[in-house]
Amino acid sequence: MTIKTLLNEASAGTPDPERASKNLERLLDHSPEFLEAHARQITTIARLFAYSQFLADYSIKNPANLSFSLRNLYYQVNKEEIVSEARRYFEVSPGRPFTLERKEALKLLRDIKKIHLLRITLRDILGITSLNESMAELSTLSEALIEIAFAISLMLMKERFGDLKGCSMAIIGLGKLGARELNYSSDIDIISVYRPEEYQSSGILTPSGVRANRIYSSEYFCRLTEIMAGLLHSQTEDGVAYRVDLRLRPNGQKGEIALSLNSYISYYESWGKTWERMALIRGRPVAGDSEIGQIFINAIEPFVWKRSIDYGDFEEIREIKRKIDTISDINDIKRGYGGIREVEFFVQTFQLLYGGERKKLRTGMLCEALQGLYKEGLLSIDDVTTLSQSYLFFRRLEHILQMKDDVQTHSVPSQPDEIEILSRKMNFHNGKEFISQLRLRRLMVRDMYNSLLGGAETQNEVMAFLESELSEDALEHYLSFKGFRHPGTALKNVNALYEQMSFGKTMKERGLLRKIVPLFLQEIMKSGNKDRALGMLVTFIEKIGNHESYIDLLLRRHDTIEMIVSTFTLSKYLTRLLLSLENLEGLFEYPDIRRDFSSVEIRLLHTLMQGTDPLKTIRELKIIEEMKSGLLFLKGFLNVYGLARTLSVLADTIVKVVVRYLNLEKDFAVVALGGFGARELNIGSDLDLVFVGEEDSGDISPKERSAEELIRFLSEYTEKGIAYKVDMRLRPDGSKGVLLNSIDGYRNYYLKSAHLWEIQSLLRARPVAGDRKLLRAFDNLKKMIILKRGIEVNGSVMERFRKRIIHEVSRESPGSYDIKYGPGGIKEIEFLVQYLQLKNIERFRNLVIYNTVATIKSLSRYAVLHRDTEEFLLQSHRFLRTTETILRLNGEVLLKVDSELIDIITGFLNLRSKEDLINRIEETKNGICEITQEYY
């Protein structure tokens, strides 16, 4: 095989065959003997020449240095070795004066950089080092050159101004240098610190024996820093070593370029800004006196890692973000949309906010800081993975862009052929796949970046997402990243929204929808059950799409948008109610909904009297009021007990109005039992009722028909459904008994025939509507019956009741929990409480209380329950009732461990994981069962 053939084959296997081939031919022309000697390494050389034109040019001119790098591929770059070798050229020793000229120093620094950069690049592109290792080696090389430049500058200063005995200086690296994450063509951010304060240099002896050129340490170290920076960044025929940025020092370009330790401390204590704290997070001594450097790092620690954050700090962070947001170059992967700077800002903001208390966050290395944020519970593992992988993706891309020509660029090329080459260097099959992945990662980073403090451009970004700037695969990936469990279905819904915004509407309607849909999507992206919410949004937009007035109102009421999305996410039941409403204007009362049921009662009665369809009127009012109450619960304005009271008062109001409408206020009364009697109604609860008639009326049949009419008003099916399902099974003789009984009839039954569980049920009996005399009579009867027969109930009887209910009613099974009827559930608490009421009623007659929570507190007050038992029961009851309410809001009775409701309830209760929820359910149920066994 000829050398030409070998070169062609080696070039063909690289990401940029044309560039590799041309450079190999140049090397062949310049040093044919080199290629013959390194025939086995031609593939490696071809790969280098394909990646870096800058290093190809250098290698062709300096083949010996290329040979050195090839021989030393598996040796790490070592700072001490580089500095030690360089010192041989300028080290002062006895009898040997310092003779290095500035021009020689400049060339020495640039030569050292190139020969080691060549080895670092080869190790990188061959996969010998990881990206993090490559960045660390680039940082090590930079440190070595700063150390060399510092040493040369110090020699030059001593030659001219003498020594500064007792004084020393350190160079502090900031930015990527400080983080050991330098890139291929990076500026180096440094500041200089010295101590102590004002000393004078020894000066030099003139030929006449006079000591001259004595200067104070402030001037001495400023001059030294200036010389050192010049050695590194001066442009020569060999280029620059590093561009040096000293602007991060106190007062920026107006400040002294070297300051004493005390000056730094004084400045940061009095004038230090948040952006300086951010910069100093990555501070690290890189050259000079390491002891002084470490003293500086320790001294600024209270400034960088504040124990507390005030409003001003937040405002400064927001201002920094606003400045970042002004960069809009889509091709700039560092400063532009969703790029490197946004990842850095995201992480450093968390470090500033929490690093004062959490030392694991005190690191300049970004990926290490991300791991710290995960370990401290501040970010999820998915968030950390997304940010760290995206950051490394961008940094790899940045390295590849910069190693090509040793130019500080962060822009992705726009030419298709250049994109294809770049995609192969990034290990993608083609440019389309690479660009799609790049856009996806930038979209994900921008999303997390905006989630930190919000972003002004969020609406535009959502529109870009809607208008499919990404491929369908990338869109599905993004939807999956955003937490959609079924990204394929979500994408269909996104497309449906886009069609609604684009077709079949007037220009004004389309314009309004283009404004409102992104606002809804922003909220959906933050919600817990995104799949369900997005599907409901499609239906909702269909409903309001032609109603400009509603859209106008929503654009002015972002809180209402948030509330609607919460409803979509948390409750199928309320979503169904919302979508069934003919008039949505009531939504805009949120969150100022008033629970004034006296006015509701007057309004409902008036509407019934004036209207023609009383059943529809009752159901419409119930839908609206129940929905409002549910919304207030979901948004935290009502707790579960506030919701229960509100729903119970609503039911009271409706029953009272219907009784008045039917003219049943004389010789007829309605008594509530069960959850209604206890004012513990839940979403979708039945109304347990019994009816009372006048004892001496002599004619009960007409009142029975009135009772039937009342039940019809409440429970007959209409196009609006039912108002309430009425349960009459707690009346005497259950479903076989008459609907209405007199006081004497109830007295005879409860004293002579009633089962003990019926006596127990009387504890929750509560007068609701009708004849006040009858209501008082029944209430007095209730107390008498409980006092007489309550003592018959004992622990074994109660246990039998519970076992029967668990056996006949509970549907709990492996993999599901019956929160209400199952062992250790809500009914377990209610039965225990009612047992303790009946057992102690003779001693404490005030225990005739219908509400569970009030009874638990009274039992504790009377020392029937221990204080710790009271606390456990109250917490458990609230937890179980809240869980049951979320289930009911989604039309479920059982909580299944594989249900999406597990995640919804976990989020609603602010628990960390579904495992935490399941553990809490188990612990609660077991604890309740243990308590009941103890008291029975």
Side-chain angles (χ1 to χ4, degrees):
M1 182 183 294
T2 65
I3 189 69
K4 286 274 189 180
T5 304
L6 195 60
L7 297 184
N8 288 337
E9 286 185 359
S11 300
T14 69
D16 191 349
E18 185 179 350
R19 184 181 300 277
S21 179
K22 286 180 180 179
N23 285 323
L24 284 173
E25 287 178 8
R26 288 173 59 212
L27 180 60
L28 180 62
D29 292 341
H30 188 273
S31 304
E33 68 287 352
F34 174 87
L35 280 176
E36 288 179 12
H38 295 82
R40 291 183 179 180
Q41 294 166 303
I42 286 177
T43 300
T44 298
I45 298 168
R47 190 167 181 81
L48 172 70
F49 287 3
Y51 273 82
S52 177
Q53 187 60 50
F54 162 69
L55 289 175
D57 293 341
Y58 176 76
S59 298
I60 291 166
K61 289 181 182 178
N62 302 277
N65 289 343
L66 175 58
S67 180
F68 170 82
S69 295
L70 291 169
R71 290 195 308 273
N72 292 278
L73 281 177
Y74 293 94
Y75 289 97
Q76 291 182 350
V77 172
N78 183 281
K79 176 181 176 179
E80 286 70 27
E81 288 179 4
I82 296 172
V83 173
S84 177
E85 186 168 345
R87 281 184 178 276
R88 290 192 293 115
Y89 290 95
F90 63 85
E91 191 79 281
V92 175
S93 59
R96 183 188 172 200
F98 180 78
T99 58
L100 193 67
E101 297 289 337
R102 184 174 186 274
K103 186 176 181 180
E104 293 176 289
L106 292 169
K107 181 167 177 53
L108 174 66
L109 290 166
R110 283 143 188 77
D111 285 347
I112 291 172
K113 180 182 179 183
K114 287 173 186 174
I115 190 168
H116 290 288
L117 182 64
L118 179 58
R119 182 155 59 103
I120 290 170
T121 306
L122 280 165
R123 284 162 58 78
D124 182 356
I125 64 175
L126 293 173
I128 296 170
T129 53
S130 66
L131 176 61
N132 282 320
E133 290 168 335
S134 177
M135 291 190 292
E137 289 196 343
L138 289 167
S139 303
T140 296
L141 176 58
S142 176
E143 284 181 59
L145 289 173
I146 296 170
E147 192 75 74
I148 295 165
F150 177 83
I152 294 171
S153 302
L154 189 57
M155 295 292 186
L156 291 171
M157 287 297 296
K158 287 180 179 179
E159 245 191 1
R160 187 173 177 188
F161 298 104
D163 201 357
L164 258 179
K165 291 182 180 177
C167 272
S168 57
M169 186 173 86
I171 307 300
I172 307 298
L174 303 173
K176 289 183 173 64
L177 170 61
R180 296 187 59 79
E181 293 179 355
L182 214 58
N183 52 35
Y184 274 85
S185 184
S186 179
D187 295 353
I188 52 172
D189 297 299
I190 58 173
I191 56 176
S192 299
V193 57
Y194 63 86
R195 65 175 301 193
E197 292 285 332
E198 288 297 315
Y199 272 47
Q200 267 195 324
S201 67
S202 61
I204 59 170
L205 284 173
T206 65
S208 59
V210 177
R211 190 162 290 279
N213 289 359
R214 296 188 70 184
I215 60 175
Y216 283 101
S217 51
S218 55
E219 183 181 355
Y220 192 95
F221 288 120
C222 282
R223 284 174 178 259
L224 192 155
T225 303
E226 191 173 12
I227 293 169
M228 181 190 70
L231 289 174
L232 292 168
H233 71 218
S234 293
Q235 184 70 45
T236 73
E237 62 183 10
D238 296 308
V240 300
Y242 290 99
R243 292 172 297 277
V244 179
D245 192 339
L246 293 159
R247 291 174 298 173
L248 295 181
R249 66 187 186 270
N251 296 312
Q253 290 178 316
K254 296 178 182 178
E256 296 287 351
I257 63 173
L259 286 171
S260 69
L261 178 63
N262 288 340
S263 296
Y264 275 109
I265 294 170
S266 176
Y267 171 83
Y268 290 135
E269 284 180 351
S270 303
W271 309 103
K273 300 178 182 65
T274 300
W275 70 261
E276 289 172 304
R277 293 178 58 216
M278 222 170 235
L280 290 168
I281 284 175
R282 295 176 158 192
R284 179 174 63 91
V286 294
D289 189 324
S290 59
E291 183 181 348
I292 299 300
Q294 193 55 52
I295 290 172
F296 171 82
I297 296 299
N298 295 340
I300 63 169
E301 186 176 288
F303 168 68
V304 179
W305 306 110
K306 285 186 179 180
R307 293 288 179 179
S308 61
I309 302 295
D310 58 31
Y311 178 77
D313 294 313
F314 273 108
E315 281 306 297
E316 284 194 56
I317 291 170
R318 288 182 190 279
E319 183 57 34
I320 296 167
K321 184 175 184 299
R322 279 192 286 270
K323 289 178 181 178
I324 294 173
D325 291 343
T326 61
I327 306 296
S328 58
D329 184 357
I330 190 65
N331 294 316
D332 190 326
I333 61 163
K334 179 180 180 180
R335 294 176 291 268
Y337 173 104
I340 293 168
R341 184 163 291 176
E342 293 187 5
V343 181
E344 292 172 339
F345 178 81
F346 183 95
V347 174
Q348 289 168 1
T349 297
F350 270 94
Q351 288 179 284
L352 286 185
L353 295 178
Y354 299 102
E357 296 292 335
R358 310 184 192 206
K359 292 189 177 181
K360 287 181 182 177
L361 305 184
R362 299 182 184 183
T363 173
M365 301 176 71
L366 189 133
C367 290
E368 192 175 282
L370 279 169
Q371 287 302 315
L373 290 171
Y374 167 65
K375 289 174 183 176
E376 292 291 339
L378 297 169
L379 289 180
S380 70
I381 189 63
D382 290 338
D383 288 342
V384 168
T385 301
T386 296
L387 284 174
S388 58
Q389 288 184 352
S390 296
Y391 179 72
L392 294 175
F393 179 90
F394 299 148
R395 292 302 308 274
R396 162 58 63 195
L397 178 55
E398 180 185 45
H399 280 202
I400 289 171
L401 290 170
Q402 292 183 359
M403 71 171 62
K404 179 184 171 186
D405 294 309
D406 192 34
V407 174
Q408 190 181 31
T409 180
H410 306 94
S411 293
V412 177
S414 55
Q415 296 298 322
D417 57 336
E418 291 184 8
I419 289 175
E420 289 298 323
I421 292 168
L422 185 58
S423 69
R424 291 193 291 270
K425 289 179 180 179
M426 289 290 292
N427 297 318
F428 286 89
H429 292 103
N430 54 60
K432 184 177 180 182
E433 182 183 311
F434 161 65
I435 291 296
S436 183
Q437 181 65 206
L438 174 61
R439 286 180 177 174
L440 174 62
R441 291 201 173 278
R442 296 182 74 169
L443 193 60
M444 292 192 294
V445 167
R446 172 50 69 97
D447 184 84
M448 294 185 67
Y449 168 79
N450 276 340
S451 72
L452 190 62
L453 295 168
E457 299 300 316
T458 304
Q459 187 168 331
N460 292 338
E461 290 153 21
V462 173
M463 284 307 302
F465 159 65
L466 275 174
E467 290 170 349
S468 303
E469 287 189 358
L470 302 177
S471 67
E472 289 215 346
D473 285 346
L475 278 170
E476 284 197 29
H477 191 129
Y478 176 69
L479 289 166
S480 179
F481 156 75
K482 289 299 296 176
F484 288 90
R485 294 183 174 181
H486 308 288
T489 303
L491 182 56
K492 290 178 184 176
N493 286 325
V494 168
N495 291 334
L497 284 173
Y498 181 66
E499 286 181 14
Q500 289 183 32
M501 292 162 49
S502 306
F503 307 109
K505 302 282 190 301
T506 66
M507 186 178 294
K508 184 175 182 182
E509 287 167 352
R510 289 200 301 272
L512 288 171
L513 286 174
R514 286 176 66 85
K515 292 178 182 178
I516 201 66
V517 168
L519 297 178
F520 271 102
L521 282 176
Q522 283 173 233
E523 290 300 325
I524 287 172
M525 296 298 190
K526 294 186 287 185
S527 69
N529 193 336
K530 300 172 179 63
D531 294 85
R532 180 201 291 181
L534 184 59
M536 292 300 100
L537 178 63
V538 174
T539 306
F540 184 72
I541 294 299
E542 285 176 359
K543 182 180 181 68
I544 69 165
N546 296 319
H547 296 273
E548 295 176 9
S549 60
Y550 287 152
I551 301 175
D552 274 330
L553 281 169
L554 285 169
L555 287 171
R556 295 196 295 271
R557 291 290 304 273
H558 286 207
D559 59 333
T560 305
I561 291 173
E562 182 187 357
M563 175 270 294
I564 291 170
V565 172
S566 292
T567 305
F568 292 163
T569 302
L570 297 174
S571 174
K572 290 180 180 178
Y573 180 81
L574 293 181
T575 297
R576 190 164 61 249
L577 294 185
L578 190 154
L579 294 176
S580 72
L581 290 177
E582 295 174 8
N583 187 334
L584 295 175
E585 289 180 4
L587 289 176
F588 298 99
E589 296 177 12
Y590 170 90
D592 301 318
I593 298 168
R594 298 285 181 261
R595 315 301 329 148
D596 181 7
F597 282 103
S598 60
S599 63
V600 171
E601 184 176 337
I602 294 168
R603 190 172 71 247
L604 176 58
L605 184 61
H606 175 76
T607 307
L608 289 178
M609 295 298 187
Q610 300 298 318
T612 57
D613 192 343
L615 271 63
K616 180 180 179 183
T617 299
I618 290 167
R619 283 145 185 77
E620 285 180 339
L621 176 107
K622 196 249 184 173
I623 287 171
I624 291 170
E625 295 301 326
E626 187 175 46
M627 190 180 74
K628 288 179 179 178
S629 301
L631 296 179
L632 291 174
F633 168 73
L634 291 180
K635 297 307 295 178
F637 292 98
L638 287 176
N639 63 22
V640 71
Y641 298 125
L643 174 64
R645 283 192 298 273
T646 303
L647 294 175
S648 300
V649 174
L650 173 61
D652 280 359
T653 301
I654 290 174
V655 171
K656 286 176 183 176
V657 169
V658 174
V659 167
R660 288 182 65 186
Y661 178 75
L662 295 175
N663 294 313
L664 298 176
E665 291 183 286
K666 184 172 176 55
D667 300 336
F668 180 86
V670 181
V671 174
L673 294 165
F676 185 25
R679 290 194 189 276
E680 293 175 357
L681 279 187
N682 210 328
I683 296 292
S685 288
D686 300 348
L687 299 187
D688 292 298
L689 302 178
V690 294
F691 301 128
V692 187
E694 180 59 54
E695 184 178 359
D696 59 358
S697 64
D699 187 5
I700 291 185
S701 293
K703 294 301 181 185
E704 280 196 311
R705 287 195 293 274
S706 297
E708 291 173 352
E709 182 69 358
L710 173 60
I711 293 171
R712 186 181 75 83
F713 260 69
L714 295 174
S715 59
E716 185 174 288
Y717 277 92
T718 71
E719 62 178 11
K720 293 289 184 180
I722 65 171
Y724 295 99
K725 183 179 178 182
V726 176
D727 191 338
M728 298 293 299
R729 289 174 297 176
L730 293 180
R731 69 186 187 270
D733 294 319
S735 55
K736 298 176 182 178
V738 294
L739 283 180
L740 183 141
N741 239 315
S742 67
I743 293 294
D744 281 345
Y746 281 114
R747 181 183 294 107
N748 290 332
Y749 178 78
Y750 282 120
L751 286 175
K752 299 175 182 178
S753 306
H755 298 286
L756 289 180
W757 65 263
E758 292 177 287
I759 306 304
Q760 176 192 350
S761 71
L762 275 179
L763 284 167
R764 309 181 92 185
R766 179 175 62 85
V768 173
D771 192 312
R772 291 184 180 181
K773 184 174 69 172
L774 287 178
L775 291 174
R776 281 195 299 271
F778 188 89
D779 200 42
N780 291 332
L781 173 66
K782 173 188 85 169
K783 293 174 183 176
M784 183 271 288
I785 297 296
I786 290 171
L787 284 168
K788 276 186 173 292
R789 295 202 60 194
I791 57 173
E792 297 174 33
V793 177
N794 57 45
S796 60
V797 169
M798 219 62 175
E799 280 191 295
R800 284 202 304 275
F801 288 170
R802 274 297 292 142
K803 287 178 181 177
R804 182 177 174 186
I805 287 177
I806 291 171
H807 178 71
E808 296 181 1
V809 182
S810 173
R811 289 186 277 171
E812 184 158 310
S813 62
S816 68
Y817 296 99
D818 189 334
I819 299 297
K820 183 174 182 180
Y821 292 105
I826 294 168
K827 285 295 177 185
E828 200 81 69
I829 296 175
E830 290 177 1
F831 271 54
L832 170 64
V833 168
Q834 289 158 17
Y835 162 66
L836 293 175
Q837 282 179 274
L838 296 173
K839 180 180 178 182
N840 295 279
I841 204 74
E842 280 191 317
R843 286 194 300 151
F844 309 114
R845 299 198 172 193
N846 287 337
L847 281 176
V848 183
I849 305 168
Y850 52 76
N851 179 266
T852 304
V853 169
T855 306
I856 292 172
K857 292 178 180 178
S858 291
L859 288 168
S860 176
R861 196 159 50 245
Y862 290 129
V864 175
L865 285 174
H866 301 302
R867 286 287 183 185
D868 54 350
T869 304
E870 173 202 16
E871 186 63 29
F872 178 78
L873 289 176
L874 289 174
Q875 289 182 0
S876 299
H877 190 259
R878 179 186 287 254
F879 166 64
L880 294 173
R881 280 300 304 264
T882 303
T883 302
E884 183 209 18
T885 299
I886 297 295
L887 286 170
R888 284 175 171 264
L889 283 167
N890 288 279
E892 297 290 343
V893 175
L894 298 178
L895 178 59
K896 299 175 182 177
V897 295
D898 58 354
S899 164
E900 66 179 18
L901 286 178
I902 285 278
D903 294 323
I904 290 174
I905 295 169
T906 299
F908 190 81
L909 294 173
N910 293 319
L911 299 175
R912 292 187 62 177
S913 66
K914 67 179 184 181
E915 287 74 23
D916 284 350
L917 173 62
I918 292 169
N919 289 339
R920 185 167 177 187
I921 291 172
E922 292 280 0
E923 290 169 4
T924 299
K925 286 163 65 69
N926 291 338
I928 292 168
C929 287
E930 287 174 10
I931 290 170
T932 56
Q933 287 302 310
E934 177 188 344
Y935 281 93
Y936 288 158

